[in-house]
Amino acid sequence: MPNTLINQNDINNAVWGACDTFRGTVDPSIYKDFVLTMLFLKYISDVHQDKAEQLKIEHGDEPELIAAMMESQSFKIPAGATFWDLYELRNTAGNGSRIDQALHAIEEANGTKLKNVFQDISFNTDKLGDEKQKNDILRHLMEDFGKPTLNLRPSRVGSLDVIGNAYEYLIKHFAAGSGKSAGEFYTPPEVSDLLSIILEPQEGDTICDPACGSGSLLMKCGKQIQKNFNGSKQYALFGQEAIGSTWSLAKMNMFLHGEDNHRIEWGDTIRNPKLQDKEGGLLHFDVVTANPPFSLDKWGHENAADDHFGRFRRGVPPKTKGDYAFISHMIETLKPQTGRMGVVVPHGVLFRASTEGAIRKQLIDENLLDTVIGLPEKLFFGTGIPAAILLFKKQKSDNKVLFIDASREFKSGKNQNQLTTENIQKIVDTYKARETTDKYSYLATTQEIAENDYNLNIPRYIDTFEEEAEIDLVAVRSERLTLQTELGELEAEMAGYLEELGYGA
């Protein structure tokens, strides 16, 4: 087959078309793991096959040398475990168990690199129906990925980003169709863009997302460094994700984007933070950013008062709302000099009283809160409520808080609204200027905030009220009299017509 370079849309459309195998039979929240895992397996298999054929041309009579050189590949694939090995047997029973065995063998062959990545994803599951239906579905899936359009060899695809972008494309489409569960694994790209630009990640930074989902926000921060520092990859990405299958997506996503310098842990960040130093303390980062689950119930309240990391020294958040649990954790993982943080929160975080109010007061009194940005409604998959971004800094240049009301400027959509490039740029420019602007931003002193009982509700600081034009009552009366005269004339004319037709009184 000729290795004709492929464009991004062709790959995106082909992998999305592969989902047709499941539609109407299996829920997207279930089949997304199968499609994304198959894309990963297909890509590493095609890379493996591409390299093996290249080495055979160069060293055809030296199989031992070829085998040794294949050991240096990014991913090792044992004999019988490639996509193409499975594809050859697709018409025989046992597709589910064969795929699972192949994934397990690949996991074992790659040591810590892929440890446990596939353990929460099983193709041999009853969720795909009885044995015959399951075998047919998986056969169709492999035939979709086996089509020439999805030849993912580097010699044909070119940039690794093409594969990573296709992976992101799928994740975004799955999020759009997954309802409330979408927030568990995906942050809208425009919000990730905004956070990554405002936080200004620098060369050499360590960047962490303690609720990383599929890793998209982390990688946006990495892309900012590459963009601003001539393609530099001198940075490290850290993350933790509680849901096993989503953690697997994050690991595969990192590899498919060429982000090898990452450490993504699996576990509950609040109950069991895994990103620790050698002494068992929390790791500290230059940039910490997240879109944690909104107002999480059962977040770990029962053990928070005795947290040996001291994360809740400002107060223990309410049992049924974990927003400040994530905020408190993130604050405690900031480096003392360079640490800066951006977190997406529901608006209740800005004004709820009781324990949350006490925590909020202390964060403001410590001069950690830098900026509050109000976002439009319907930006996030699975919820229509508007959210806000809170920005914190360990070292601030003033003792003020900037409020930005960006809630009214967006591109409207039927199910989902979007921030445009222009909307994002306006927010960034306003953030950098750090000034009060009419009906859009306000630079408040901590004294003003204290006078407002530490309530951060944006309308308290930014007046967006538009005065209605004054009504000219004389003009309205004149217009009314004119209309009455015209109505009288029309009534008289209509009475004449009726009389002519014999309907007169």
Side-chain angles (χ1 to χ4, degrees), residues 176-223:
S178 293
K180 289 188 176 180
S181 66
E184 294 175 355
F185 61 88
Y186 194 67
T187 300
E190 302 82 15
V191 178
S192 296
D193 286 338
L194 174 60
L195 280 164
S196 68
I197 295 167
I198 274 186
L199 291 169
E200 294 186 324
Q202 304 292 304
E203 203 172 25
D205 274 356
T206 53
I207 304 163
C208 178
D209 183 342
C212 70
S214 56
S216 304
L217 177 52
L218 272 177
M219 290 188 297
K220 283 286 176 71
C221 291
K223 288 293 182 188

Side-chain angles (χ1 to χ4, degrees), residues 244-291:
S245 59
T246 306
W247 170 80
S248 298
L249 297 186
K251 291 287 289 183
M252 289 187 277
N253 206 3
M254 290 285 166
F255 288 126
L256 288 176
H257 281 87
E259 294 288 8
D260 294 329
N261 193 14
H262 71 261
R263 177 182 167 190
I264 310 293
E265 297 288 352
W266 178 9
D268 187 313
T269 290
I270 305 302
R271 290 185 174 89
N272 184 20
K274 296 282 187 74
L275 296 169
Q276 300 181 20
D277 57 28
K278 292 177 182 177
E279 286 73 44
L282 294 174
L283 281 175
H284 292 84
F285 309 95
D286 299 290
V287 175
V288 179
T289 185
N291 173 22

Side-chain angles (χ1 to χ4, degrees), residues 366-421:
E366 290 176 39
N367 200 29
L368 291 169
L369 181 63
D370 182 71
T371 303
V372 178
I373 303 172
L375 297 174
E377 64 181 6
K378 289 169 58 178
L379 279 187
F380 295 86
F381 295 107
T383 178
I385 66 170
I389 290 175
L390 298 184
L391 299 172
F392 295 86
K393 279 185 180 178
K394 277 287 189 170
Q395 297 294 327
K396 287 175 60 183
S397 58
D398 60 25
N399 63 346
K400 299 177 180 179
V401 176
L402 178 66
F403 291 83
I404 299 175
D405 183 359
S407 64
R408 295 169 298 149
E409 299 184 10
F410 56 90
K411 180 183 177 182
S412 182
K414 184 178 179 183
N415 298 314
Q416 215 74 37
N417 294 328
Q418 285 185 339
L419 290 174
T420 66
T421 304

Side-chain angles (χ1 to χ4, degrees), residues 439-454:
K439 302 189 187 304
Y440 191 76
S441 67
Y442 184 78
L443 189 59
T445 64
T446 48
Q447 184 179 345
E448 286 178 275
I449 294 172
E451 289 170 358
N452 273 314
D453 295 325
Y454 294 89

Side-chain angles (χ1 to χ4, degrees), residues 16 30 44 47 92 143 226 228 236 246 261-262 275 283 292 305 318 352 445 474-475 484 505:
W16 186 241
I30 296 171
I44 65 172
V47 170
T92 58
E143 286 174 350
Q226 292 177 40
N228 296 329
T246 306
N261 193 14
H262 71 261
L275 296 169
L283 281 175
R352 288 193 298 247
T445 64
V474 174
Q484 281 181 327

Side-chain angles (χ1 to χ4, degrees), residues 299 301 304-305 312-321 323-325 328 348-349 351-363 454:
W299 55 267
H301 177 275
F312 308 111
R313 57 190 172 84
R314 297 177 185 87
V316 176
K319 185 176 182 180
T320 58
K321 288 183 173 62
D323 302 302
Y324 273 100
S328 299
V349 165
F351 54 79
R352 288 193 298 247
S354 192
T355 314
E356 290 181 296
I359 298 170
R360 187 170 60 246
K361 176 182 183 300
Q362 196 155 338
L363 290 171
Y454 294 89

